[in-house]
Amino acid sequence: GAGVSQSPSNKVTEKGKDVELRCDPISGHTALYWYRQSLGQGLEFLIYFQGNSAPDKSGLPSDRFSAERTGGSVSTLTIQRTQQEDSAVYLCASSSGGKGTEAFFGQGTRLTVV
Amino acid sequence: AQKITQTQPGMFVQEKEAVTLDCTYDTSDPSYGLFWYKQPSSGEMIFLIYQGSYDQQNATEGRYSLNFQKARKSANLVISASQLGDSAMYFCAMREGQKAAGNKLTFGGGTRVLVKP
């Protein structure tokens, strides 16, 4: 596709269940980012992948959160044993690299933990 | 410490008037880039404008301009001739470092703008 694609667009899960969120970046983009946005708030950095380098995981809030990026393309964000405070919109973005290039965002996955 | 600070949580602006959104940043890296994004109620993030730390001139993109004051570490967004469609959240962001490939983008808390007819 032409843009960053995220799936699912909405996810409702029960507390304690695991969830997987998927991100398909723009083809050829070497950088991929995950952010979390709670209602009416700013973007909280979670994790950043750049090419074959080790990911920057400094934003992951707990060890229940993990992410991987296979083949330098698709990324999956996994939240284990979900809690109600995990409810938020999870945004994925990609960029072609270089400090001057903007990041292109997907539409996000709205996660609701009940 | 906050890397990006947006001190205005919300503001009203009259249609057709100009509005300035404040953004200050904190970095010791001499090479960095500053970005502004718009997020309307639909939730999508729309890139507006970019300013590099070594750029000699302030960036402009249509009705958007960036008032870059490097010594004050300030990168305010100016929207001229506001339109009703400008009502949205606006985020300032920074990317640090001289790596050929990009580094992570750090965002401010955002400013909500409501344009009044």
Side-chain angles (χ1 to χ4, degrees):
Chain A
V4 178
S5 177
Q6 292 187 246
S7 60
S9 55
N10 280 285
K11 176 73 176 178
V12 180
T13 189
E14 292 181 351
K15 179 182 174 181
K17 299 281 190 182
D18 298 351
V19 295
E20 285 190 352
L21 311 180
R22 178 186 169 103
C23 174
D24 281 275
I26 293 172
S27 178
H29 278 190
T30 58
L32 187 147
Y33 317 78
W34 283 99
Y35 294 88
R36 178 169 70 174
Q37 187 177 31
S38 300
L39 188 62
Q41 302 299 309
L43 276 71
E44 176 189 4
F45 167 76
L46 296 177
I47 188 169
Y48 161 69
F49 297 89
Q50 174 56 57
N52 295 321
S53 302
D56 179 348
K57 304 180 182 180
S58 60
L60 294 178
S62 76
D63 58 8
R64 295 187 296 106
F65 289 72
S66 63
E68 62 178 22
R69 188 179 185 192
T70 54
S73 181
V74 172
S75 177
T76 303
L77 177 69
T78 301
I79 309 173
Q80 296 179 312
R81 305 180 303 281
T82 51
Q83 304 295 313
Q84 288 186 327
E85 60 263 28
D86 299 335
S87 297
V89 175
Y90 290 80
L91 290 164
C92 176
S94 70
S95 71
S96 59
K99 59 181 170 67
T101 55
E102 71 268 31
F104 295 84
F105 282 80
Q107 289 292 89
T109 294
R110 181 175 299 277
L111 175 67
T112 304
V113 182
V114 298
Chain B
Q2 290 284 342
K3 289 272 189 181
I4 298 283
T5 302
Q6 295 180 251
T7 58
Q8 306 151 310
M11 55 197 309
F12 291 96
V13 59
Q14 197 67 42
E15 190 179 12
K16 300 181 184 178
E17 292 185 350
V19 61
T20 298
L21 308 183
D22 296 341
C23 173
T24 57
Y25 57 92
D26 180 27
T27 182
S28 58
D29 197 317
S31 179
Y32 53 89
L34 298 158
F35 302 78
W36 277 92
Y37 283 83
K38 171 184 178 182
Q39 187 180 43
S41 57
S42 59
E44 61 188 307
M45 291 288 286
I46 302 168
F47 165 73
L48 297 178
I49 196 167
Y50 164 79
Q51 180 83 44
S53 60
Y54 294 121
D55 293 345
Q56 294 297 310
Q57 294 186 326
N58 287 345
T60 61
E61 288 287 346
R63 294 187 298 112
Y64 304 107
S65 60
L66 203 151
N67 183 5
F68 182 45
Q69 298 186 43
K70 194 170 182 177
R72 299 178 63 181
K73 294 188 176 179
S74 157
N76 297 342
L77 177 71
V78 180
I79 306 174
S80 62
S82 296
Q83 302 172 356
L84 296 179
D86 294 335
S87 295
M89 281 286 285
Y90 289 82
F91 293 99
C92 181
M94 177 174 65
R95 177 185 285 140
E96 299 168 282
Q98 299 207 35
K99 295 178 185 179
N103 288 318
K104 69 184 184 187
L105 273 176
T106 303
F107 283 81
T111 295
R112 183 174 298 280
V113 172
L114 184 59
V115 180
K116 299 185 293 183

